[in-house]
Amino acid sequence: MHWKIGFTGLTILMSGRPLIASADVQQGTYNVTINPVKSPVTDSNQGPLADLLPQMNEIQQWVLLGIGLLIISLLGLLIKLWWQSRQQIKEQS
């Protein structure tokens, strides 16, 4: 546990960014949680899904959003083609 706290302190000194560290102790196990302090510098580097997927960086969020929009547009095109085909079959019957 002490080496984790020491490593965290070293990271804080080297990065120059303040961090908030807390630990939850249960039955001899340690869970260390490190939360970066919100600042205008870090807020400007957030992606479009920062509130939904905070564990992903900005590039990963933009790629995921692009893939999602591509899937939605292809699904819409497929539905449009299916609907036109359905209408043609009804007219021929």
Side-chain angles (χ1 to χ4, degrees), residues 2-91:
H2 293 293
W3 68 270
K4 289 181 183 180
I5 294 174
F7 182 71
T8 304
L10 182 62
T11 304
I12 291 170
L13 289 174
M14 293 185 73
S15 68
R17 295 173 54 196
L19 298 173
I20 299 171
S22 61
D24 181 21
V25 181
Q26 294 178 351
Q27 299 181 1
T29 61
Y30 298 96
N31 296 321
V32 177
T33 305
I34 300 174
N35 298 320
V37 176
K38 299 273 183 177
S39 69
V41 175
T42 57
D43 291 344
S44 64
N45 295 331
Q46 291 183 349
L49 306 173
D51 295 333
L52 299 173
L53 302 169
Q55 70 276 13
M56 298 177 76
N57 66 24
E58 183 180 9
I59 294 173
Q60 291 172 332
Q61 290 179 14
W62 279 110
V63 169
L64 184 63
L65 183 67
I67 291 171
L69 291 175
L70 180 66
I71 290 172
I72 290 171
S73 64
L74 289 175
L75 184 62
L77 179 64
L78 182 64
I79 290 171
K80 180 182 176 187
L81 293 173
W82 170 78
W83 186 258
Q84 289 175 350
S85 173
R86 186 172 179 262
Q87 294 300 324
Q88 288 176 353
I89 292 172
K90 278 187 174 182
E91 290 173 1

